[in-house]
Amino acid sequence: MKAFPGIVLMGIFSAIIINRLWSVRDPTLMGDITVITNNSVIEKYLPRYQKLLGLDYDGYRNHLYRVLSFSIHFLHGDQTYRDEIATALVYHDIALWTDKTNAYIEPSVARAKLDLGITQPNLSLIEDIIYWHHKITPFKGQHAQVVNAVRKADWVDFSFGVVHYGLSRQHVSKVRNAIPEAGFHDTLTQFTLGNRSHGGNFLKALWEVLHIYRW
């Protein structure tokens, strides 16, 4: 189980379905992908949680940078909302640690609003990115292109590229080779199995995991 991240088993069926629906490599995404390994917004907000995340910090941080890299590529290099994406990524899974719950979407949104305040520019976009990042079908609403870019990017990293939304294997490999796994999926496995928050109660943990997906 440690070698193959257990949480992927929770989403693999959906991943296969999605990959069947969006399995064609997108020629508009074939240009070289830029690997982003440093961002001032991520480095502003994420270190506040370094003590809480402990040994999980590097894995989560690297996940953020992989997803940010994929997101900007899905946007064809448009960085208009880069700061909003980076901010949302810091908080998108944070309630796994702050609230010790696998049903972390709503509390992650709440944590972002608490930290950022109501005066944060484009707060609604940040909220939407967090809330819809596990949506299986395309988001339709304001800034849909941005929300869907992050949604796709998170699916790509979550599924190790099984769900690729048109990204080439070379693009996925380039990003994942440049930004190490650092135990991120193993951490997700432990949360999924209930070892982090429910004393190993797998059924309770699984029930919570089911609440993070949106059709």
Side-chain angles (χ1 to χ4, degrees):
M1 180 63 72
K2 183 177 180 181
F4 186 80
I7 197 170
V8 175
L9 298 177
M10 305 309 308
I12 196 66
F13 182 68
S14 296
I16 292 172
I17 293 175
I18 293 169
N19 204 43
R20 291 290 184 182
L21 294 174
W22 292 283
S23 60
V24 178
R25 303 292 173 179
D26 186 346
T28 69
L29 297 172
M30 296 308 290
D32 194 26
I33 189 169
T34 299
V35 179
I36 302 171
T37 58
N38 189 270
N39 175 271
S40 61
V41 173
I42 289 176
E43 300 306 327
K44 175 182 178 181
Y45 293 113
L46 186 61
R48 301 177 182 181
Y49 294 95
Q50 186 167 7
K51 184 176 180 179
L52 177 65
L53 269 64
L55 296 177
D56 299 333
Y57 184 80
D58 287 344
Y60 186 54
R61 179 178 180 274
N62 287 5
H63 170 62
L64 304 191
Y65 279 110
R66 290 193 300 269
V67 175
L68 180 60
S69 298
F70 293 136
S71 297
I72 297 300
H73 193 70
F74 276 122
L75 290 168
H76 304 286
D78 184 351
Q79 301 200 34
T80 302
Y81 295 104
R82 179 194 60 194
D83 288 352
E84 288 79 2
I85 293 170
T87 303
L89 287 177
V90 168
Y91 292 98
H92 78 296
D93 295 340
I94 201 67
L96 278 169
W97 294 273
T98 59
D99 292 64
K100 303 297 183 184
T101 177
N102 289 335
Y104 55 81
I105 298 295
E106 286 85 356
S108 291
V109 172
R111 180 68 55 170
K113 292 170 68 175
L114 179 65
D115 281 7
L116 301 173
I118 60 174
T119 60
Q120 174 75 22
N122 290 318
L123 181 60
S124 62
L125 173 56
I126 293 169
E127 291 180 60
D128 281 342
I129 291 173
I130 299 170
Y131 188 83
W132 298 109
H133 79 272
H134 279 306
K135 194 175 189 309
I136 295 172
T137 58
F139 168 78
K140 296 180 181 179
Q142 189 175 18
H143 300 301
Q145 186 178 15
V146 179
V147 175
N148 283 317
V150 182
R151 180 183 64 84
K152 293 175 183 179
D154 190 74
W155 272 105
V156 170
D157 197 55
F158 167 79
S159 69
F160 296 94
V162 172
V163 180
H164 52 71
Y165 289 103
L167 282 183
S168 70
R169 294 182 183 87
Q170 290 78 13
H171 285 91
V172 175
S173 295
K174 179 179 178 179
V175 173
R176 292 194 59 83
N177 289 337
I179 306 176
E181 173 69 15
F184 177 66
H185 282 80
D186 285 340
T187 297
L188 296 184
T189 297
Q190 294 306 310
F191 276 111
T192 303
L193 294 176
N195 294 338
R196 292 295 192 94
S197 56
H198 297 302
N201 188 331
F202 172 68
L203 291 179
K204 185 175 182 180
L206 172 61
W207 176 250
E208 287 185 348
V209 169
L210 295 177
H211 287 78
I212 69 175
Y213 296 103
R214 309 284 188 267
W215 180 254

